[in-house]
Amino acid sequence: MRIVVIGLYNSGSTCVAGVLHRLGVDMGAPYWHENECFYEPYDLSCILRHFWPEPDCQSQAHERIRVEVFRNWILGRESLGSSPCGAKHPLFCLSLADLRKAWGEQTVFVWIQREREASIAGLRKRNWFGEMTEPIQNKLWNAVHDFNFENANVLKLQYDAILQDPSREIDRIISTLKLDVKADSRRQAIAWVQPPSGAT
């Protein structure tokens, strides 16, 4: 199984990626920015920032190249014997069609949802992207909401709901993704869920 975690910057996607990591999903370590781990694969983060340079996020690579690179990346992870495999990055919002072609129709999109204004405010608090904070968040928001998820496997999660009842929502993740999870791993995933200050 291949899992893509999507969401805006400061949407709660790090929270969900950390949960999946603790539930046994290979999320692509080593991660970008290890001293404040966002559970974003280092190699894939570099690639995405080349494809969609922040903060303008204008495409710098042809679709064919993006699809080929994404396909090679997931095959490389799976060749290590890891299963299931997944990855998380806000810039995935701009590459949904690429990922569906590269990773196959059975790819599961785990879409973490939070009020756009809250995600924008959180990003401003981090002081990322300056005056481009709102434009970049709006671009990602529009890309996800304009994408045709028809016939796609999508698990929609509300960040507020995860904070309010992590046990219930994590059980829903386990059930929907059909993960084989030990009780201790489930406890670690529940304990990982943090207040909004650390979420991206």
Side-chain angles (χ1 to χ4, degrees), residues 158-194:
Q158 297 293 330
Y159 181 50
D160 288 343
I162 294 173
L163 293 180
Q164 291 166 8
D165 195 340
S167 178
R168 180 194 64 204
E169 293 303 297
I170 287 171
D171 282 343
R172 191 159 73 91
I173 292 171
I174 293 170
S175 174
T176 302
L177 300 182
K178 297 180 174 62
L179 300 176
D180 183 13
V181 177
K182 296 180 180 178
D184 188 54
S185 297
R186 178 181 177 274
R187 283 193 294 269
Q188 290 179 29
I190 293 170
W192 156 252
V193 176
Q194 299 292 323

Side-chain angles (χ1 to χ4, degrees), residues 13-197:
S13 57
T14 292
C15 176
V16 172
V19 164
L20 291 171
H21 169 78
R22 285 159 177 80
L23 295 178
V25 179
D26 172 12
M27 295 300 291
Y31 302 116
W32 179 272
H33 215 316
E34 286 285 2
N35 61 337
E36 187 180 2
C37 184
F38 299 122
Y39 291 97
E40 297 168 2
Y42 182 85
D43 52 358
L44 197 53
S45 294
C46 294
I47 291 167
L48 283 162
R49 287 185 167 96
H50 173 72
F51 288 166
W52 308 99
E54 301 154 314
D56 293 333
C57 297
Q58 298 298 319
S59 175
Q60 300 297 308
H62 191 275
E63 174 192 3
R64 175 183 53 80
I65 295 174
R66 298 195 302 264
V67 170
E68 181 180 358
V69 170
F70 291 145
R71 181 181 295 118
N72 289 338
W73 186 87
I74 196 68
L75 291 175
R77 296 303 302 191
E78 291 172 343
S79 71
L80 301 175
S82 302
S83 181
C85 292
K88 165 258 178 179
H89 200 286
L91 293 176
F92 275 154
C93 295
L94 303 175
S95 286
L96 298 174
D98 304 328
L99 286 160
R100 199 169 183 187
K101 290 179 181 178
W103 290 14
E105 294 296 320
Q106 297 307 308
T107 299
V108 179
F109 294 93
V110 177
W111 182 2
I112 178 68
Q113 300 177 327
R114 188 183 188 189
E115 289 292 334
R116 175 167 36 177
E117 292 73 17
S119 292
I120 290 172
L123 199 54
R124 285 199 174 114
K125 189 175 182 180
R126 288 182 179 276
N127 197 28
W128 288 5
F129 306 128
E131 63 183 16
M132 291 297 293
T133 293
E134 188 167 348
I136 193 173
Q137 294 283 61
N138 287 336
K139 182 164 188 169
L140 301 185
W141 176 277
N142 291 335
V144 175
H145 284 80
D146 289 345
F147 184 70
N148 181 9
F149 284 101
E150 186 178 0
N151 298 322
N153 296 314
V154 185
L155 171 57
K156 296 181 181 180
L157 300 170
Q158 297 293 330
Y159 181 50
D160 288 343
I162 294 173
L163 293 180
Q164 291 166 8
D165 195 340
S167 178
R168 180 194 64 204
E169 293 303 297
I170 287 171
D171 282 343
R172 191 159 73 91
I173 292 171
I174 293 170
S175 174
T176 302
L177 300 182
K178 297 180 174 62
L179 300 176
D180 183 13
V181 177
K182 296 180 180 178
D184 188 54
S185 297
R186 178 181 177 274
R187 283 193 294 269
Q188 290 179 29
I190 293 170
W192 156 252
V193 176
Q194 299 292 323
S197 58

